Amino acid sequence: MTEGTIRIAVTGRANAEAKDHEVHLLGLRSLASPRLVVDPDALPEGWQVFTNVDRGNLGRQQYGLRGVAGAMEFTFGDRGRIALLRHAWSGIVEICHGDSVIEIDLFGQEQDVVLVDLPSGTVEPATAETLARLELLVDRDSAPAVERGTGHIAEGELLIRATGAGSPRSHGTQVSVLRVEPMGFGVPTDLSFQTGAGRPWQRMADVDIGGVNWVGGIVADQGDIRLGCEPSAALYLLRHQYAGQVEISYGDQSVRIDLFSPTTGLLEIKVRDLASLEQIGLGDESGDGGPGIQTMQNRTRREHFARLMAGFDTRKPVAIYVPRWHGVAASTRALFDQSLPVPEGHDSHPDDITRDDIEEYAQILVEAGVRHLIISGGDLFNLQIIEAATRLAPQLRVDMLWHSNFLQMNEPHDWNLLRHWLAALQDGTVTRIGVVKEGLEQWFQRIGIDSVFIPNVVPFDIDKVQPTPVDDVVGIWLSGSSSYRKLPHAMLLALRNVPGVTLMGSGLDAQAQRMVQDLRLPFRELSPKPLPQSKLHARMRKTGLSLYVTISECSPMLPLESFGLGVPCLVGPSSHLFVRNKLLSDALIVRRPESPTEIADKIVDGLARREELFSAYVGYYRDEMEMATAGVARLVA
């Protein structure tokens, strides 16, 4: 072992009382290195990331590493500490450092944390204070500090300051921090440790923005938050009528932002982009409620869209979509030959679009010569774009593709959108509507609106796709877009009844991850956040079966993507998928999505019949592609 390297190994041994031989690593702190970073995609065999760690009387922690075999190695210097979890499933860990080898029995009847001091080898109980220093993985004692008006900021430290000031239009000075998402393990920072008796920051109620429920946010009128994070971290703040001014600092960059907005919305800031934000964003009296910050991307919008539209035949339809809604975006790109992301950024939220943005988008489309526009989705800002564009080009034709379904009409957000589009269809502003939920087109037709069903598709070369060779790993891949329609709990319970199968997944919230731990389900590469498509596809190829057993769908994309990657997929009974093929229908549709027993039986059957399922899927795929092509042609005719 090289000098300055520490090796933490699972021995595979445990005492007679222990229920297993696991090793859980919670933290490291080197007094020689300023930062230790672990890449979750490069963990050795036998080690996994786990989240929402219960540390007994020391509370919870965002993430840790769980080892059942093998060893982890770190470049550590010659001084530092290691935090390890002790509980009833723990075994004996071996720590090698220089010429020293330390063996520690981590078994304990109650869960707690121990600290190993190097190079002395002493082991002592951890305290909340010592663990807090470990979790940041930053050596605050020796890290260089930058002297600023905001005080000392350590390297790798993010400072969020509620200034206590507000704009003339604001009814208050609140700063609401919804989430901080560091790169690291991709787990949102637990902000609750900033709150409590005598502290200025307090827990805030859950808030729904654009159909996404934000949980765990904190709010204050005045006070600081200091967090260790990487430059790739993202900060999410709430904008509303009672919002004040916030100061954000990282390294030698600082920005002050007025969060006031007449409507509630979300502001996302990437830490690495602080340098490109205007220094002061205050006193915005334009009435659009913008936060007063502008990025280089905004200043080159026209050049950006000119590049995207290079080669477009603007006599033919052009579809626009919101890239933040991943399913809608993927559907639009697959169905239409010419499509544009509006707004242009994947992280941009429709609620952040200003009136000036609306006018500019309309001008870009009209000046490019677009004659036929398709709205894919249904966010209300698109109606404003239509209004502005038809003012400039009265002959512009507009159609739309609706991605919601019957059950979602019960949701205030979706019903509010639909009633506005119904009015636009009835007064002729929009000519025709396509739907991806089979049967919904009949409802529109019966109230006098021209409508057509278009199934979602994911184009690929069906003749080249082969089932993956994996037969003992299943995946649960959720988008996080619903708090009740896409729940993983029955699927997780089902896996408890399928021995020998390992779980992979993403979009699993804290409750689902706690269930994985409590059920002691074997897993690898679990992420609480939805994954970008490239990562999702790479991980999906490591599985033999996808589970997407939900209770309310239109025309779900994920099962189609899964088959395109060589992985069959179980689905619930709420969409048209597979119903026209008896073999696929019998094998892949879970008739009772709340039944772990039925899901477990179909997991076993699906893994065993992968070759047969793919043979049947070839003909099904071609029929769906023909149906989609005909539907699009009917929509734009």
Side-chain angles (χ1 to χ4, degrees):
M1 207 164 57
T2 59
E3 184 177 356
T5 298
I6 180 174
R7 184 174 184 270
I8 303 172
V10 180
T11 65
R13 294 181 282 114
N15 69 40
E17 295 183 77
K19 299 178 182 179
D20 211 329
H21 60 266
E22 300 174 356
V23 172
H24 290 81
L25 173 63
L26 301 189
L28 296 162
R29 182 168 184 261
S30 169
L31 302 184
S33 303
R35 182 173 291 273
L36 293 166
V37 178
V38 177
D39 182 357
D41 294 323
L43 295 177
E45 190 70 27
W47 286 81
Q48 305 159 334
V49 175
F50 73 120
T51 60
N52 196 22
V53 184
D54 182 358
R55 304 179 303 187
N57 62 359
L58 295 176
R60 293 190 176 276
Q61 181 172 314
Q62 297 171 60
Y63 59 79
L65 295 179
R66 169 179 175 257
V68 295
M72 289 287 295
E73 291 191 357
F74 304 91
T75 302
F76 204 71
D78 57 0
R79 294 184 298 156
R81 285 183 167 185
I82 307 164
L84 298 163
L85 187 65
R86 182 164 56 188
H87 57 53
W89 285 269
S90 295
I92 296 173
V93 64
E94 180 183 82
I95 301 174
C96 301
H97 182 242
D99 297 329
S100 302
V101 178
I102 307 168
E103 280 199 358
I104 304 168
D105 186 352
L106 293 174
F107 170 79
Q109 294 288 358
E110 303 293 333
Q111 290 196 186
D112 63 0
V113 182
V114 295
L115 290 179
V116 183
D117 183 68
L118 297 175
S120 69
T122 57
V123 180
E124 60 185 31
T127 65
E129 181 180 359
T130 54
L131 278 180
R133 295 169 66 83
L134 285 165
E135 287 178 42
L136 294 178
L137 301 182
V138 175
D139 177 14
R140 290 174 182 254
D141 296 332
S142 61
V146 181
E147 182 65 39
R148 315 245 323 233
T150 54
H152 292 279
I153 302 176
E155 183 181 6
E157 184 176 64
L158 175 69
L159 172 65
I160 306 167
R161 168 164 289 172
T163 63
S167 71
R169 291 181 296 162
S170 179
H171 302 299
T173 60
Q174 291 182 3
V175 172
S176 302
V177 182
L178 298 179
R179 186 177 297 168
V180 177
E181 293 184 351
M183 184 65 171
F185 295 114
V187 180
T189 297
D190 181 6
L191 297 173
S192 63
F193 75 92
Q194 302 280 352
T195 65
R199 297 192 178 190
W201 291 88
Q202 300 298 321
R203 292 291 298 269
M204 61 180 288
D206 300 350
V207 59
D208 185 273
I209 304 174
V212 177
N213 192 36
W214 293 79
V215 180
I218 60 176
V219 61
D221 289 300
Q222 194 165 5
D224 293 355
I225 299 173
R226 292 175 182 265
L227 303 167
C229 70
E230 298 292 330
S232 53
L235 169 65
Y236 298 87
L237 302 169
L238 187 65
R239 298 168 54 202
H240 54 79
Q241 296 181 44
Y242 296 86
Q245 296 171 13
V246 63
E247 183 176 310
I248 303 168
S249 303
Y250 187 84
D252 60 354
Q253 302 297 331
S254 183
V255 65
R256 191 178 177 99
I257 300 168
D258 183 1
L259 293 173
F260 169 80
S261 172
T263 59
T264 299
L266 185 70
L267 175 64
E268 178 181 2
I269 298 173
K270 293 290 181 61
V271 171
R272 65 159 60 98
D273 292 338
L274 287 182
S276 67
L277 302 181
E278 300 261 339
Q279 177 67 20
I280 300 295
L282 307 176
D284 174 17
E285 298 298 337
S286 65
D288 62 17
I293 59 175
Q294 184 181 30
T295 65
M296 292 298 294
Q297 183 180 14
N298 298 125
R299 293 193 286 268
T300 59
R301 175 175 286 160
R302 289 179 178 272
E303 291 88 343
H304 171 77
F305 277 99
R307 289 192 298 271
L308 290 180
M309 299 179 73
F312 272 22
D313 183 348
T314 52
R315 296 170 299 178
K316 297 180 179 180
V318 175
I320 64 174
Y321 62 91
V322 176
R324 186 184 184 94
W325 316 138
H326 299 291
V328 172
S331 169
T332 308
R333 291 192 297 264
L335 290 171
F336 300 100
D337 295 332
Q338 302 183 146
S339 61
L340 284 174
V342 178
E344 52 269 41
H346 283 77
D347 298 325
S348 299
H349 195 286
D351 290 348
D352 294 330
I353 296 175
T354 68
R355 187 69 211 183
D356 287 343
D357 292 330
I358 297 294
E359 295 293 336
E360 188 171 14
Y361 289 134
Q363 290 172 12
I364 289 170
L365 291 168
V366 171
E367 290 172 5
V370 174
R371 303 178 185 179
H372 188 168
L373 188 63
I374 297 170
I375 306 297
S376 184
D379 292 281
L380 293 184
F381 79 90
N382 286 306
L383 284 171
Q384 296 176 293
I385 289 180
I386 294 170
E387 177 190 7
T390 52
R391 254 195 340 263
L392 300 171
Q395 301 307 312
L396 177 71
R397 172 177 165 178
V398 181
D399 297 306
M400 80 167 302
L401 184 63
W402 180 249
H403 294 263
S404 191
N405 66 37
F406 304 111
L407 189 60
Q408 288 170 261
M409 290 183 184
N410 182 51
E411 300 173 17
H413 174 264
D414 278 52
W415 178 248
N416 181 55
L417 295 181
L418 181 58
R419 65 187 184 87
H420 282 87
W421 288 104
L422 280 171
L425 285 155
Q426 289 167 337
D427 68 17
T429 301
V430 178
T431 301
R432 186 174 292 132
I433 184 170
V435 300
V436 298
K437 175 64 175 176
E438 187 175 33
L440 187 56
E441 80 283 4
Q442 298 174 25
W443 180 81
F444 278 108
Q445 290 165 6
R446 285 168 184 160
I447 62 172
I449 292 175
D450 196 355
S451 180
V452 59
F453 167 58
I454 305 174
N456 278 327
V457 292
V458 175
F460 55 87
D461 190 341
I462 186 66
D463 296 317
K464 292 183 179 180
V465 178
Q466 297 295 324
T468 64
V470 182
D471 61 4
D472 60 352
V473 182
V474 301
I476 299 176
W477 316 102
L478 301 180
S479 65
S481 64
S482 169
S483 60
Y484 75 98
R485 289 181 273 114
K486 301 179 189 337
L487 297 177
H489 309 112
M491 293 181 279
L492 295 176
L493 289 168
L495 288 173
R496 197 66 185 89
N497 294 334
V498 186
V501 172
T502 299
L503 170 67
M504 294 179 66
S506 61
L508 301 178
D509 63 15
Q511 182 180 1
Q513 292 179 60
R514 180 60 189 268
M515 181 178 284
V516 170
Q517 295 176 37
D518 290 345
L519 293 173
R520 309 201 63 72
L521 297 177
F523 68 90
R524 67 178 75 163
E525 300 183 53
L526 288 187
S527 168
K529 295 198 307 181
L531 295 173
Q533 193 175 61
S534 59
K535 281 193 174 183
L536 172 65
H537 288 180
R539 295 190 182 182
M540 196 178 283
R541 290 190 191 99
K542 299 177 183 179
T543 68
L545 186 72
S546 294
L547 309 184
Y548 196 73
V549 183
T550 62
I551 66 168
S552 174
E553 293 291 346
C554 298
S555 181
M557 299 288 289
L558 186 130
L560 309 180
E561 292 180 82
S562 185
F563 261 104
L565 295 167
V567 183
C569 184
L570 299 188
V571 299
S574 61
S575 78
H576 78 283
L577 284 189
F578 311 138
V579 296
R580 296 182 180 89
N581 183 291
K582 180 170 173 48
L583 190 152
L584 296 177
S585 174
D586 291 346
L588 298 177
I589 299 178
V590 179
R591 306 296 173 181
R592 293 178 298 143
E594 80 289 352
S595 170
T597 301
E598 184 178 348
I599 297 172
D601 290 343
K602 289 193 180 291
I603 290 173
V604 174
D605 186 53
L607 287 171
R609 300 173 61 190
R610 288 173 299 129
E611 296 282 351
E612 184 182 3
L613 294 174
F614 262 92
S615 295
Y617 188 74
V618 172
Y620 174 83
Y621 169 85
R622 291 182 173 134
D623 289 344
E624 289 286 293
M625 290 296 292
E626 289 181 8
M627 190 185 306
T629 300
V632 171
R634 170 75 179 83
L635 175 68
V636 303

